[in-house]
Amino acid sequence: MSTRDRRAWGSLTRERIVVAALDLARREGLGAVTIRRVAEEAGASRMALYRHVADKEALVELVADAVAEAVVPPVEADRPWPEQLRVFARELRATLLAYPGFADLLAARHGHGPGALRLFDTVIGIIRSAGLDGAATARWFTVFMDVVVGRVHRESSGDGHSVLLGHAPVDVEGLPHLGAVAPHLGSTTSEDLFESELTLVIEAIRAQTS
């Protein structure tokens, strides 16, 4: 970008930086978010960005926090907690898939910015409303995040379907049960797996509170 196309001195804001970085992350993944690339997206110099963010690490954290903040939907208290948890899980999965690399960042760094903390607080509030105590809530919150983030990680890694046997012929002679289901093992979609895993979590919480 030529200097003629750059923003006027002092016109760059942190909000504009975040918008430019989010657009870049959505198109190319979180790995593309660098000071140089975001400066180009924002129509600014790298030095202009450094007046708002200390380094690439701080920039990525800023973007990750904005993504986490965007995930949190309004909690509708009049809806049953299982429905709230499903809505939240679907929103979170869709957002993680929309920003390649964000699931890995969330898993590795446990994003502790304000947006991520509000995300975690909302999930915990939904699970607590089922009637669990603090220890059980903490356990099922961890399971819930592991299911959603883990599912996105597998999908992003090209392993979104499951398991063994689904992609190659298998000799099932003498294995009647395996032979009966082997033709179907590769037909389960990532969406099917996600919804089934989510149902298992919800039913396990329900069983613990009944």
Side-chain angles (χ1 to χ4, degrees):
M1 178 174 293
S2 72
T3 55
R4 291 180 306 171
D5 298 324
R6 288 180 179 162
R7 291 177 169 269
W9 178 270
S11 65
L12 185 65
T13 63
R14 176 169 287 212
E15 290 74 20
R16 174 57 193 162
I17 291 170
V18 171
V19 168
L22 286 173
D23 287 344
L24 181 61
R26 190 181 297 109
R27 296 197 315 269
E28 300 183 29
L30 207 57
V33 176
T34 64
I35 295 290
R36 180 182 64 81
R37 291 295 308 280
V38 174
E40 291 174 355
E41 290 285 319
S45 69
R46 283 179 288 180
M47 290 308 299
L49 254 72
Y50 281 124
R51 287 195 292 274
H52 295 275
V53 291
D55 51 26
K56 177 185 174 179
E57 186 84 4
L59 177 61
V60 169
E61 291 291 350
L62 193 65
V63 173
D65 192 59
V67 173
E69 184 75 25
V71 172
V72 183
V75 175
E76 300 181 34
D78 58 327
R79 300 172 76 173
W81 69 263
E83 189 176 343
Q84 291 183 41
L85 200 59
R86 279 194 187 276
V87 169
F88 194 98
R90 290 165 180 163
E91 290 277 346
L92 179 56
R93 174 173 173 258
T95 301
L96 293 176
L97 288 172
Y99 292 92
F102 182 62
D104 293 340
L105 183 70
L106 194 64
R109 302 189 191 183
H110 311 290
H112 289 163
L117 291 176
R118 195 163 77 87
L119 185 157
F120 297 157
D121 185 71
T122 302
V123 177
I124 289 169
I126 294 170
I127 294 173
R128 281 190 71 194
S129 71
L132 298 177
D133 62 22
T137 298
R139 181 169 64 254
W140 287 111
F141 163 71
T142 304
V143 171
F144 172 85
M145 293 301 297
D146 187 70
V147 164
V148 179
V149 176
R151 169 55 43 202
V152 172
H153 175 76
R154 289 188 290 276
E155 290 181 60
S156 301
S157 302
D159 188 26
H161 296 74
S162 157
V163 307
L164 67 191
L165 312 181
H167 304 289
V170 180
D171 182 2
V172 294
E173 185 176 354
L175 303 170
H177 305 300
L178 184 56
V181 302
H184 309 288
L185 285 174
S187 62
T188 303
T189 67
S190 294
E191 190 75 29
D192 293 333
L193 286 170
F194 174 71
E195 292 294 336
S196 296
E197 289 164 350
L198 190 53
T199 296
L200 288 173
V201 172
I202 289 171
E203 292 305 317
I205 294 173
R206 201 196 306 270
Q208 192 165 344
T209 58
S210 62

